[in-house]
Amino acid sequence: MQEKTFHLTGMSCASCAAASQKALLRLDGVQECEVNLVTEKARVVYDENKLNFAKLQKAVQDAGFNMEEEQSLQKAELLIEGMTCAACSASVEKAVKRLEGVNSASVNLTTGHGVFEYDPSLLKLSKIKEVITEAGFIPKDIEVSNAREKWLSDRDKKLHNMKTRLIVSIVFAAPLLYIAMGHMIGLPLPEFLHPDMHPLTYAGLQLALCIPVLFAGSRFFSKGFKTLWHRAPNMDTLVAIGTGSAFIYSAFSFFKILSGMPHFVHSLYFESAAVVITLVMLGKYLEAVSQGKTSDAISKLMKLRPKTALVIREGQELELPIEEVIVGDTVMVRPGTVIPLDGEVLEGISSVDESMLTGESLPVEKHPQSKVTGGSINGEGLLKFIVERVGEDTALSKIIKLVEDAQNKKAPIAKLADVVSGYFVPTVIVIAIIAAVLWAISGQSFDFVLTIFVSVLVIACPCALGLATPTAIMVGTGRGADLGILIKGGEALETAHKIQTVVLDKTGTITEGKPHMTDIKTYGNIDENTALGLSASAEWGSEHPIARSIVEEAQKRGLESSPPEEFNNRPGRGIYAIVQGHEILAGNRKLMDENQIGLTAAQNDAEALSGAGKTLMYIAIDGSLGALMAAADTVKTSSKEAVARLQGLGLEVIMITGDNQSTAQAIADEVGIKKVLSEVLPQNKASEVANIQAAGHKVAMVGDGINDAPALAQADIGMAIGTGTDVAVESADIVLMRGDLNEVAIAIALSRATIRNIKQNLFWAFFYNLVGIPFAAGVFYIFGGPLLNPMFAGAAMALSSVSVVSNALRLRFFKLDR
């Protein structure tokens, strides 16, 4: 018997679930069956000798529903060591994808991370590791807690090792080059090293100087030939074959000289092998340094996380490792120190620098009940807070994971480079062999043919091609993180540059999302501050949004307020209170009518204020109308500028809201938006976005609430205000950490700059190979042009990779001028 879970569609009620369950139970061979309407899943225990999926599916279809096999895929993330170029990452992907049960394989050269999705019923992770090892690389498990720190540490060790090997290589290659080439351009050489007078000494010293360089660059040979053996050649293979051929022929010439044939002294290529290896190592080292800089966003975020926290337990202060702190602990943060975890302030008042997380330069005031975020820096006050999130649940850890995931995800534009890189190296080897054979047939000397063969292998550079996209995406997403914009992957970054229409939710996005006092009209002999003070005292403990706006306005004006002597809530109408001996009624028109309060004096003001979309509250003091107060959800100070910047980028801006037409239009006019979708129910926002898409527009939706989540998911790009709900943030492709609408324009402009950078990189990488390979193959020599020396080919290859990475690094300085 076999037990499997299947996905059912088309069910709408309990009878549907019963009907599909009954249909399955009728089949001969089905022992048990349970259908869950809510999860739309069916658990079936059946005899696999009598039934297969097709028969089960047909029974369900005959009952009027549909059934699909449940995809129980598993995702594994591995750290892959030993990759040096785009062909390496492509060969790992290709090797893993050949395995049955693998759904997807994505390997990022720049971070060394591989993400593999597979069916655990068909394949084990150990087999994936085995295949990666056979391809010539080292797969390692990633432990979530320490993986990122270990990755940084390993990267630094790798750089140090590369630097040491490079220095050794330069120390021996430089004199070798001088000895081999110096006398040809008139540089002095000791007599005992003259090639014609002492050929054996001349050749022997070159061999002795070349061998340490080969050892320093041994990785090219060990990896290059291993990948060739497994039919996944890469850049190392090209270097190994090219320089190995030059060395073997030179060693053969040395033994010929040793056996009494001095004329072979003119057939030595030790310097070509050594200098090419040195130049390729130099290019790889500069490339690794540059790639390290692309990860600055992650490393900077990691450094924000402290190692210990000062925890108060049973009245004692204990300095504990951050891993030992648990939810509910009370943590003390001294002035000037880093807040270790997320929580809520219990005691103390201070200002906190959150710029490293949000990009906002101004410190944020914190007081009891304020939220604090791990990684931010406490100011001059002493704070005590209760821990609410630890480990991978903290905001900082989530941001790091978000940036990491973004840099590991490939943009669609990367697929072109991946495909080309996968076929590139075998093609180059074939071109090198064909060019060498054709020149040999034409009667050229062995020296000439070897020069052609080595030059073609060495100048070909899949590295530049493979680095063009991932480095630009890493730098672009990293720069976004610096600016408080979290971009969830290369696909989001690429899609954002195509956006034509930006749909802005009103509440909490264009506006503050909560009402503020806008108008106070007084009647009789009472003044504004007296009316406001009495009203604030009456509303002292109320949680109603309008009541809170009255209390906040009183606090802003420095007015004293105190709890009322008597308080009575009137549901749906307002409140009754006694404050300092005065009877206060605060509420809507219905409350006033019930208590025979005359409102004639306020009639014109009420019509004008309600016509502007404001919410009214009448205040009666001791039986007569004292004031009319109006509150409204005010526009954020940055909204008007942000809309102008979006329009300046050539984008259509649309506002969407559930408010009535007049209120919505008033807000739209204030910020400069021409098109408004008003009175849209929350559940209809996604369909409105779909309508705009149906008209042929690429749409970005910007929102902050739970009711925005479907629209954020529907849009081509969903942008969530980072200060909004977790659901909105999870549904979005881009998270705007500061809650500033200006970040929408910055995100789109950054996307455009990144895609422009990628296209520049791809152009130069393709152009370089388009010109470089024919040049090395001797095509230009046929028409009287020069023949490319392998050393110059190596220098050009290194320069191409470094130039592509350097161009990508320019994005680190991106900014959209205000």
Side-chain angles (χ1 to χ4, degrees):
M1 288 292 175
Q2 186 172 353
E3 181 179 322
K4 274 195 174 183
T5 302
F6 302 97
H7 181 61
L8 297 183
T9 56
M11 298 188 299
S12 59
C13 63
S15 61
C16 296
S20 55
Q21 182 171 307
K22 199 177 291 182
L24 288 167
L25 285 170
R26 282 198 203 103
L27 293 172
D28 181 28
V30 173
Q31 184 176 329
E32 289 180 38
C33 177
E34 291 175 3
V35 175
N36 188 313
L37 173 66
V38 177
T39 60
E40 294 189 326
K41 290 181 181 178
R43 185 185 69 84
V44 186
V45 179
Y46 65 97
D47 186 344
E48 63 272 26
N49 296 319
K50 293 183 178 180
L51 294 169
N52 55 24
F53 171 71
K55 290 179 180 177
L56 294 169
Q57 187 184 43
K58 186 175 187 307
V60 173
Q61 287 175 340
D62 289 343
F65 311 103
N66 193 27
M67 185 166 78
E68 299 165 357
E69 287 187 284
E70 185 77 0
Q71 294 293 318
S72 55
L73 296 175
Q74 196 163 316
K75 187 178 282 188
E77 190 173 347
L78 298 172
L79 193 65
I80 301 168
E81 295 183 353
M83 298 190 299
T84 58
C85 67
C88 296
S89 55
S91 65
V92 173
E93 287 183 2
K94 195 179 291 183
V96 174
K97 283 178 179 176
R98 287 194 196 112
L99 295 171
E100 184 186 359
V102 172
N103 185 55
S104 66
S106 178
V107 178
N108 190 310
L109 170 66
T110 43
T111 61
H113 282 207
V115 179
F116 308 97
E117 199 173 50
Y118 64 98
D119 186 342
S121 65
L122 298 174
L123 183 67
K124 302 299 179 199
L125 181 59
S126 56
K127 182 62 179 176
I128 293 176
K129 291 180 182 177
E130 184 186 321
V131 167
I132 294 171
T133 304
E134 287 175 357
F137 308 97
I138 305 168
K140 290 189 175 180
D141 291 320
I142 294 177
E143 295 177 15
V144 175
S145 57
N146 299 313
R148 302 180 186 101
E149 288 82 357
K150 186 178 183 303
W151 171 61
L152 284 177
S153 173
D154 289 348
R155 188 191 71 182
D156 292 340
K157 286 178 185 174
K158 178 184 171 186
L159 274 174
H160 179 73
N161 181 265
M162 290 178 75
K163 186 177 181 180
T164 304
R165 288 174 174 268
L166 177 61
I167 291 170
V168 169
S169 188
I170 290 171
V171 166
F172 287 94
L176 174 56
L177 181 63
Y178 184 92
I179 292 167
M181 310 290 290
H183 65 283
M184 296 182 185
I185 56 174
L187 294 174
L189 200 65
E191 186 179 313
F192 73 92
L193 284 178
H194 196 283
D196 294 322
M197 297 174 65
H198 301 279
L200 189 58
T201 307
Y202 176 79
L205 184 58
Q206 285 195 41
L207 174 62
L209 289 169
C210 186
I211 288 173
V213 178
L214 294 182
F215 274 105
S218 59
R219 181 185 54 75
F220 293 118
F221 300 96
S222 60
K223 296 234 185 285
F225 289 118
K226 192 172 185 179
T227 55
L228 184 64
W229 177 257
H230 290 287
R231 292 174 299 158
N234 58 18
M235 184 65 203
D236 293 336
T237 311
L238 300 183
V239 175
I241 294 174
T243 58
S245 302
F247 177 80
I248 289 169
Y249 181 66
S250 301
F252 168 78
S253 298
F254 170 75
F255 285 108
K256 285 291 184 182
I257 296 168
L258 197 62
S259 61
M261 301 181 189
H263 64 278
F264 271 92
V265 76
H266 299 294
S267 299
L268 297 174
Y269 287 92
F270 288 121
E271 83 286 350
S272 289
V275 173
V276 165
I277 286 174
T278 304
L279 285 169
V280 174
M281 286 174 72
L282 174 62
K284 292 286 183 190
Y285 176 71
L286 293 175
E287 201 176 281
V289 170
S290 299
Q291 286 178 28
K293 289 178 182 175
T294 66
S295 306
D296 278 353
I298 294 176
S299 55
K300 275 193 282 186
L301 286 168
M302 285 189 207
K303 288 172 185 173
L304 296 178
R305 188 162 40 198
K307 302 291 182 188
T308 61
L310 195 59
V311 180
I312 301 171
R313 287 183 184 168
E314 298 177 356
Q316 291 189 329
E317 294 179 14
L318 304 171
E319 188 164 352
L320 300 177
I322 208 79
E323 295 80 16
E324 294 181 20
V325 182
I326 60 173
V327 173
D329 272 340
T330 299
V331 173
M332 180 186 289
V333 188
R334 294 196 172 101
T337 59
V338 178
I339 294 171
L341 296 159
D342 299 0
E344 183 177 294
V345 176
L346 291 173
E347 296 177 25
I349 296 173
S350 185
S351 58
V352 173
D353 180 0
E354 298 181 337
S355 60
M356 304 79 105
L357 299 173
T358 65
E360 181 57 60
S361 57
L362 294 175
V364 181
E365 292 297 321
K366 301 292 180 182
H367 46 75
Q369 296 186 331
S370 294
K371 301 292 184 182
V372 289
T373 307
S376 51
I377 299 173
N378 187 24
E380 297 177 354
L382 180 71
L383 291 176
K384 286 184 185 178
F385 72 92
I386 187 164
V387 176
E388 293 182 331
R389 287 191 291 267
V390 297
E392 297 301 305
D393 293 328
T394 63
L396 180 58
S397 294
K398 286 180 178 178
I399 290 169
I400 292 171
K401 185 74 173 84
L402 201 60
V403 175
E404 266 188 342
D405 288 347
Q407 296 183 343
N408 279 328
K409 289 177 185 173
K410 292 184 178 178
I413 198 170
K415 292 174 184 174
L416 171 65
D418 284 349
V419 171
V420 173
S421 294
Y423 293 100
F424 186 81
V425 176
T427 304
V428 168
I429 293 173
V430 170
I431 291 172
I433 293 170
I434 291 172
V437 169
L438 290 176
W439 281 114
I441 293 171
S442 72
Q444 291 291 344
S445 67
F446 183 80
D447 292 356
F448 185 96
V449 172
L450 184 64
T451 298
I452 292 288
F453 181 69
V454 174
S455 295
V456 171
L457 290 176
V458 171
I459 200 168
C461 187
C463 296
L465 196 61
L467 287 168
T469 303
T471 47
I473 287 172
M474 285 192 74
V475 182
T477 52
R479 180 57 181 154
D482 288 343
L483 296 169
I485 301 166
L486 299 182
I487 302 166
K488 297 182 182 178
E491 187 168 355
L493 189 67
E494 180 176 341
T495 305
H497 92 283
K498 302 174 184 174
I499 294 300
Q500 300 159 300
T501 301
V502 177
V503 179
L504 303 176
D505 177 55
K506 181 186 79 72
T507 307
T509 303
I510 296 174
T511 66
E512 295 287 353
K514 61 178 183 177
H516 293 273
M517 188 60 57
T518 57
D519 301 88
I520 301 176
K521 306 289 184 182
T522 59
Y523 310 96
N525 298 322
I526 196 166
D527 62 83
E528 265 191 30
N529 284 347
T530 302
L532 184 59
L534 290 171
S535 301
S537 293
E539 300 281 13
W540 177 270
S542 176
E543 290 300 321
H544 190 281
I546 306 300
R548 296 308 306 160
S549 72
I550 291 173
V551 174
E552 286 170 8
E553 181 65 23
Q555 289 173 343
K556 195 186 298 181
R557 297 191 185 191
L559 302 177
E560 289 186 13
S561 54
S562 57
E565 292 100 71
E566 191 178 322
F567 180 87
N568 186 3
N569 187 32
R570 305 286 174 84
R573 300 184 297 283
I575 62 143
Y576 165 82
I578 295 179
V579 178
Q580 299 168 18
H582 297 284
E583 289 189 351
I584 308 294
L585 284 168
N588 56 24
R589 188 183 188 101
K590 192 173 183 180
L591 179 68
M592 298 296 120
D593 290 342
E594 285 177 357
N595 290 274
Q596 287 84 47
I597 306 297
L599 302 180
T600 308
Q603 187 172 341
N604 291 337
D605 292 332
E607 288 175 0
L609 294 170
S610 61
K614 297 177 181 180
T615 304
L616 308 182
M617 182 176 282
Y618 294 93
I619 309 295
I621 302 170
D622 295 328
S624 62
L625 182 65
L628 172 63
M629 298 183 182
D633 184 6
T634 54
V635 170
K636 291 180 181 178
T637 53
S638 59
S639 293
K640 186 173 183 178
E641 178 193 9
V643 169
R645 292 176 85 175
L646 287 168
Q647 291 167 340
L649 290 173
L651 300 164
E652 179 188 24
V653 182
I654 299 173
M655 186 178 85
I656 190 167
T657 179
D659 285 350
N660 60 57
Q661 178 63 35
S662 61
T663 302
Q665 196 61 54
I667 297 291
D669 291 342
E670 188 175 342
V671 296
I673 294 176
K674 297 180 177 64
K675 187 173 180 180
V676 179
L677 300 174
S678 60
E679 299 178 32
V680 179
L681 295 174
Q683 62 268 31
N684 294 336
K685 286 184 179 179
S687 58
E688 289 290 349
V689 170
N691 291 339
I692 299 169
Q693 290 172 315
H697 294 263
K698 290 285 183 183
V699 180
M701 171 71 195
V702 187
D704 75 321
I706 291 174
N707 57 14
D708 297 324
L712 291 171
Q714 171 66 42
D716 297 283
I717 287 290
M719 296 189 186
I721 302 295
T723 52
T725 64
D726 288 343
V727 176
V729 169
E730 289 294 327
S731 304
D733 304 293
I734 296 174
V735 182
L736 313 175
M737 291 298 293
R738 295 184 221 169
D740 185 345
L741 261 188
N742 280 297
E743 291 172 333
V744 178
I746 295 171
I748 293 172
L750 176 61
S751 168
R752 291 179 179 179
T754 305
I755 298 304
R756 188 163 56 246
N757 192 285
I758 288 172
K759 288 178 178 177
Q760 290 167 356
N761 285 348
L762 287 173
F763 170 79
W764 287 112
F766 276 116
F767 180 78
Y768 164 82
N769 284 295
L770 202 63
V771 174
I773 292 175
F775 186 29
V779 173
F780 295 101
Y781 182 78
I782 297 172
F783 302 101
L787 189 66
L788 187 67
N789 185 289
M791 286 183 287
F792 292 112
M797 185 277 300
L799 185 64
S800 68
S801 291
V802 173
S803 64
V804 163
V805 176
S806 299
N807 185 46
L809 286 171
R810 290 190 305 112
L811 288 168
R812 295 172 76 199
F813 308 105
F814 167 86
K815 64 177 181 178
L816 183 62
D817 295 326
R818 289 184 181 272

